[in-house]
Amino acid sequence: MATEELEAPSQEKSGQSRLSIAVPINASTSPEATAFLKAHQHKLQTGQWSRRVRWVETGKFHLVLRVLGPEKGTDTEALVAALRTGLANLKPFELGVDRPILYPRPSRAREVACLIRHTSDLKRLFRIAHAAADSLLPEEERGKAAAKPHKAHVSFGRIRSGKARKAPNLIAESGECPVLVGQVDLIRTEQGPMGPVSTSLESISLG
């Protein structure tokens, strides 16, 4: 999947799991950004968008760097080792997260999400994640997913099928909040009855 169309790993059928490489945003890793995201998500969950979205678990947000696919058959030990090597020389850095929007655009909305401001450090992080993932693939399949983080975002949830029609405009107060990027996680995501449920399998610190 090309990074300009990156989605939170929330599409699996109930009981199935898939893996992704992501930056966790929670009370432990980035409390200010987590409070910012929770406040915006809560407003949407209690408004006219409440039943239109399969909401991401509150307080467990992620900036997805690479969606890997089904967990079964993935050599997670080799993947974690490749990530550790790639992240060893990248120091923690700060990003900015903006207000929620209809992603990727209102006319073709698939998710409610907050865009992330691009930086050179973010581009480098995307390249590291893609290189680690590609190291598990046959040589002829490597590099097919672009490593440039177009429209990097934090998903609040995927819009339910058909629910974007006649939906109210999504209007939120503008304003950017800093996000500290100090680790990358290998995430398992399963689709539950109320929405995606994510579990961190491994955390790799930057630097």
Side-chain angles (χ1 to χ4, degrees), residues 20-51:
S20 60
I21 302 169
V23 175
I25 304 175
N26 54 51
S28 297
T29 63
S30 196
E32 183 179 355
T34 301
F36 173 88
L37 293 169
K38 287 175 68 174
H40 276 296
Q41 188 188 48
H42 178 71
K43 288 181 180 179
L44 294 170
Q45 287 176 323
T46 55
Q48 295 184 62
W49 276 93
S50 61
R51 297 181 182 276

Side-chain angles (χ1 to χ4, degrees), residues 15-169:
Q16 294 182 341
S17 65
R18 67 188 300 179
L19 297 178
S20 60
I21 302 169
V23 175
I25 304 175
N26 54 51
S28 297
T29 63
S30 196
E32 183 179 355
T34 301
F36 173 88
L37 293 169
K38 287 175 68 174
H40 276 296
Q41 188 188 48
H42 178 71
K43 288 181 180 179
L44 294 170
Q45 287 176 323
T46 55
Q48 295 184 62
W49 276 93
S50 61
R51 297 181 182 276
R52 297 179 184 271
V53 177
R54 290 188 178 276
W55 298 103
V56 169
E57 191 174 356
T58 300
K60 297 181 71 174
F61 305 107
H62 302 96
L63 165 57
V64 177
L65 303 172
R66 175 72 178 257
V67 177
L68 301 171
E71 180 178 5
K72 186 177 181 180
T74 300
D75 188 344
T76 56
E77 290 187 6
L79 177 62
V80 169
L83 285 170
R84 289 192 191 282
T85 299
L87 295 171
N89 295 318
L90 181 61
K91 301 298 182 183
F93 61 93
E94 195 173 89
L95 293 172
V97 59
D98 206 346
R99 62 185 174 85
I101 63 167
L102 295 176
Y103 180 86
R105 53 185 177 273
S107 61
R108 295 183 59 186
R110 296 193 305 270
E111 300 179 54
V112 175
C114 293
L115 292 184
I116 294 287
R117 174 169 48 85
H118 295 180
T119 68
S120 58
D121 285 325
L122 177 59
K123 292 177 182 179
R124 186 179 175 191
L125 183 60
F126 266 88
R127 289 195 294 268
I128 291 169
H130 278 258
D134 281 354
S135 70
L136 304 183
L137 299 174
E139 188 171 352
E140 64 273 12
E141 295 184 21
R142 296 177 185 177
K144 289 186 177 180
K148 186 177 180 181
H150 291 295
K151 295 185 179 179
H153 64 283
V154 177
S155 179
F156 278 173
R158 193 169 182 83
I159 297 173
R160 296 174 185 271
S161 179
K163 294 297 184 179
R165 297 177 181 176
K166 297 183 179 180
N169 290 334

